Amino acid sequence: MDEHGETKIKELLSKENGREELVSSFFTQWGILLRRYVDSLGTIVVPDDIHSILLLSVLFEGFVKIVCFFEGPNIILSREKSRRTLGSIKNEFKKILSEKEDNKIKLCEIQEILDLFTKLRNEFLHFPFYYRWDYRFHWLFFQLVSYTLEKLDLWDYLDGDTQRIVKHYAKNKPAGISLLDVPLYSDQTPM
């Protein structure tokens, strides 16, 4: 983000309800990308489709940063620009969730998912011949997103269509996945 963009964000934060307006705007943009990701699922030719990996990586990093910004804009803004990376922010994200969760198994699962997605993103972006795609990434992403939205009471920042998409994919665990000892999200309400 350049100086102009950061100044604009700080100006908006100084307004009453400025943080909520910004987070709402960020989630609106995130929802647009999410729909593009879901649309791309119908056109995947091979399991490791580059467009899907890129979109999922962007969605993951964006989600982590939006949540951290929601909890405290200075988690992001007080850092040097070079330290606003997923690698440094993900620990703040986990800390936010650990304040709301006392189930140690779920906290371990969250850490594993954060590490797994960070590795996927970094391997793909920095050395695309080394990465590996795994069909579980898709479900784990939606599990973490749903769980976080629920724990932090952020569902209302998403429009109805985006909520339905997230819940749909979080609830539909692919056959054969046993990666999570405890599913993070298992809402029983109808979509």
Side-chain angles (χ1 to χ4, degrees):
M1 169 178 0
D2 65 8
E3 295 299 320
H4 176 71
E6 193 161 325
T7 301
K8 186 175 178 180
I9 285 176
K10 288 178 180 176
E11 285 174 9
L12 288 168
L13 284 171
S14 67
K15 288 177 33 182
E16 186 178 345
N17 298 325
R19 180 180 65 119
E20 288 76 17
E21 288 177 29
L22 280 166
V23 170
S24 181
S25 171
F26 295 155
F27 269 125
T28 297
Q29 293 172 40
W30 185 86
I32 291 167
L33 281 177
L34 180 72
R35 284 188 281 286
R36 285 194 180 158
Y37 169 72
V38 169
D39 288 346
S40 80
L41 296 176
T43 61
I44 292 177
V45 178
V46 292
D48 58 352
D49 182 72
I50 290 172
H51 295 102
S52 294
I53 294 168
L54 284 172
L55 282 171
L56 193 61
S57 295
V58 169
L59 285 164
F60 178 72
E61 184 166 350
F63 183 77
V64 167
K65 289 180 177 180
I66 292 169
V67 168
C68 288
F69 188 89
F70 174 80
E71 286 296 310
N74 282 331
I75 291 173
I76 307 274
L77 297 176
S78 66
R79 295 173 183 264
E80 290 180 39
K81 289 180 182 169
S82 64
R83 299 282 304 144
R84 295 177 184 174
T85 64
L86 177 61
S88 68
I89 302 286
K90 75 176 183 177
N91 292 327
E92 294 295 331
F93 180 83
K94 184 182 176 217
K95 183 178 168 186
I96 290 165
L97 290 177
S98 67
E99 291 171 0
K100 305 280 185 182
E101 179 62 69
D102 57 359
N103 182 325
K104 293 195 184 313
I105 295 173
K106 283 192 177 187
L107 290 172
C108 286
E109 299 292 358
I110 290 166
Q111 184 64 53
E112 286 181 25
I113 293 170
L114 289 170
D115 291 343
L116 190 65
F117 270 92
T118 303
K119 186 175 180 180
L120 168 72
R121 177 204 170 275
N122 290 344
E123 286 178 353
F124 182 76
L125 293 177
H126 298 297
F127 193 60
F129 302 111
Y130 186 65
Y131 79 95
R132 62 180 170 74
W133 178 252
D134 189 315
Y135 68 98
R136 297 174 295 184
F137 290 139
H138 172 81
W139 182 70
L140 292 173
F141 168 77
F142 284 102
Q143 276 284 298
L144 182 64
V145 168
S146 297
Y147 168 83
T148 303
L149 292 170
E150 189 74 27
K151 278 292 181 184
L152 301 179
D153 197 26
L154 296 173
W155 281 112
D156 289 342
Y157 283 96
L158 302 179
D159 64 64
D161 287 340
T162 305
Q163 286 181 25
R164 280 188 288 284
I165 290 168
V166 171
K167 288 180 180 184
H168 170 75
Y169 286 107
K171 290 179 181 182
N172 290 300
K173 181 178 181 180
I177 290 184
S178 60
L179 189 61
L180 288 177
D181 292 325
V182 177
L184 295 176
Y185 181 76
S186 59
D187 177 29
Q188 300 302 313
T189 58
M191 292 183 281

